[in-house]
Amino acid sequence: MESKFCVLNDAEDLQTLITHTEERIQFERSKTLFEEIRASINNNDEEDRSFWRPVLPWGGVYIIRAGRKAISCTPLYVKINLKNTCTIDGFLMILYVILRDNHGFPRELGVFLGKQFVEHFLTLMDSCDYATVKMLWIWYRMSKRQYRSAVRQAALEIDLFGNEHENFTKNLENLMSTMQESLCTSWSCPTRFQELLKTTVIINPPHELPHRDPIQSAVDEFFCPKILLCTELGCDGLREFSQRVFCHGAPPFVILNMQQWRSEELSYVPYHLALSQHRYSLEGATLFNKEEHHYSAAFQIDGYWMHYDGLRSDNLILLHKPPELLLLSSLVYTRASDK
């Protein structure tokens, strides 16, 4: 039955769809979605603090038109139902805000994800073509092993149930790649010299809460040089680790994986972070509800915090005060010098 469905396998088909979308919105939109959200903040009504329409709603339905490459494709329009998209929705929302709020960042991110990808992503978000935004991420950034797909009721279903760091953070190529070198003091060590590469920034809570900011302390621990017992089989030497550095320079933004932290360890979340000799500012966070296995997000524009939850009908709400970041999945910081 799957052979009846026409699934995009190359960039040409998707490029055609995106081009049609871009041509359409040139006549329909005078403002970007970001400008509309910013305007709603400045003109908000205390009694109704939600954005006037849904933004990036949960799930989605994407229609593929059978093109010239379709050998056998019935019906003429093939439907793809998207499920459990909250594992990418919150990050896509924050990514959009970051790129629109920092003029130099799209060019920097384009080095890693591709200039065309970044341009198409922004165009599709501004056109409110949210199902295509999600399909753009799925087709271009995710591998097939990261999601489940099946044919149900004459439609292809793509299910993104899982972990947002698997579905989003790990698919940012080498944006946040770091390297740390180590050398064992023992000449008989089977692997004296090692290079340790990491593509994400996972910080662990300290065993004992430090006197100063625990998150800054954990970041310092991740990057700082250290001396530890060598763990190579049969080696009794000491291993000296160098300062960890970003492989491609300080990235425009950093996502801190906070999944190991408990709420009682998050009584204080720093608005500024010293990271690899650069100053970063808190831009947003993703939140995880364990009971519902559901992700949402919070982010700030011009100092005002907004909460995004794709499952709600009013899914973008201006908050009276900064959110309590106690159910954290991640913290997102942007390089402050570009603001």
Side-chain angles (χ1 to χ4, degrees):
M1 186 173 181
E2 284 192 50
S3 62
K4 296 180 181 179
F5 285 82
C6 176
V7 180
L8 300 187
N9 291 316
D10 56 45
E12 183 178 341
D13 297 297
L14 190 58
Q15 176 64 47
T16 301
L17 181 144
I18 293 172
T19 300
H20 291 162
T21 303
E22 290 174 337
E23 291 173 351
R24 185 177 74 251
I25 67 170
Q26 285 178 356
F27 301 98
E28 294 180 0
R29 298 186 64 83
S30 58
K31 289 184 177 181
T32 65
L33 174 63
F34 179 78
E35 289 170 335
E36 288 189 8
I37 295 173
R38 173 177 273 168
S40 75
I41 293 174
N42 296 329
N43 302 311
N44 80 90
D45 183 344
E46 283 296 325
E47 295 182 0
D48 183 12
R49 301 176 70 85
S50 61
F51 190 58
W52 67 278
R53 63 180 170 191
V55 177
L56 207 67
W58 183 94
V61 177
Y62 181 80
I63 304 295
I64 302 176
R65 183 174 181 178
R68 57 183 173 80
K69 293 185 179 181
I71 299 174
S72 173
C73 192
T74 53
L76 180 63
Y77 288 84
V78 180
K79 183 168 70 171
I80 297 180
N81 292 323
L82 302 176
K83 286 184 59 180
N84 295 311
T85 57
C86 68
T87 56
I88 63 173
D89 290 345
F91 274 132
L92 290 175
M93 189 71 234
I94 293 176
L95 178 63
Y96 172 74
V97 171
I98 288 175
L99 294 179
R100 280 293 183 225
D101 202 22
N102 299 271
H103 297 299
F105 285 3
R107 176 182 51 81
E108 289 191 57
L109 188 62
V111 173
F112 299 93
L113 303 188
K115 179 182 177 182
Q116 276 194 323
F117 174 88
V118 174
E119 290 176 349
H120 292 161
F121 169 72
L122 292 173
T123 299
L124 291 168
M125 284 293 292
D126 287 333
S127 71
C128 303
D129 195 350
Y130 300 125
T132 309
V133 168
K134 299 179 189 189
M135 291 307 302
L136 181 73
W137 183 264
I138 292 168
W139 275 327
Y140 273 68
R141 306 305 327 156
M142 296 180 68
S143 66
K144 291 183 178 179
R145 62 177 176 79
Q146 290 180 305
Y147 59 85
R148 294 183 291 277
S149 60
V151 177
R152 301 184 191 280
Q153 298 179 348
L156 182 66
E157 180 181 281
I158 293 180
D159 189 347
L160 299 184
F161 183 85
N163 182 287
E164 67 173 0
H165 291 286
E166 292 290 333
N167 290 350
F168 188 90
T169 313
K170 289 187 177 180
N171 295 319
L172 289 171
E173 294 295 337
N174 296 315
L175 177 72
M176 297 181 290
S177 290
T178 58
M179 181 183 69
Q180 189 173 39
E181 297 176 345
S182 71
L183 181 68
C184 183
T185 57
S186 173
W187 286 92
S188 60
C189 180
T191 51
R192 279 198 76 204
F193 178 77
Q194 295 178 2
E195 287 185 345
L196 305 176
L197 295 173
K198 291 185 180 294
T199 57
T200 60
V201 181
I202 303 176
I203 60 172
N204 298 313
H207 298 297
E208 296 182 2
L209 288 179
H211 296 296
R212 63 191 187 99
D213 171 14
I215 293 178
Q216 181 67 69
S217 297
V219 169
D220 293 343
E221 177 67 21
F222 181 79
F223 281 92
C224 73
K226 55 181 73 80
I227 298 177
L228 300 173
L229 291 174
C230 183
T231 57
E232 292 298 315
L233 185 64
C235 182
D236 57 359
L238 294 176
R239 184 163 292 276
E240 300 177 355
F241 292 83
S242 68
Q243 176 85 23
R244 181 179 293 278
V245 296
F246 284 109
C247 298
H248 307 284
F253 62 89
V254 171
I255 298 173
L256 301 183
N257 186 326
M258 304 294 293
Q259 293 179 113
Q260 304 300 321
W261 293 65
R262 301 188 302 271
S263 58
E264 58 265 28
E265 296 165 331
L266 295 167
S267 57
Y268 174 73
V269 173
Y271 270 63
H272 300 285
L273 206 61
L275 200 156
S276 188
Q277 298 181 333
H278 287 267
R279 183 178 172 85
Y280 281 75
S281 298
L282 182 64
E283 183 81 15
T286 58
L287 314 171
F288 181 58
N289 186 317
K290 292 183 179 180
E291 294 180 359
E292 299 177 0
H293 199 93
H294 176 62
Y295 293 94
S296 61
F299 59 89
Q300 57 175 328
I301 297 177
D302 298 337
Y304 293 93
W305 280 91
M306 303 196 78
H307 182 252
Y308 160 79
D309 186 342
L311 273 178
R312 297 183 180 182
S313 55
D314 296 328
N315 64 11
L316 191 58
I317 298 175
L318 179 64
L319 300 177
H320 289 278
K321 60 181 181 178
E324 294 184 1
L325 303 175
L326 300 178
L327 301 174
L328 276 180
S329 174
S330 68
L331 289 170
V332 184
Y333 288 83
T334 55
R335 205 173 57 231
S337 58
D338 290 71
K339 294 291 286 184

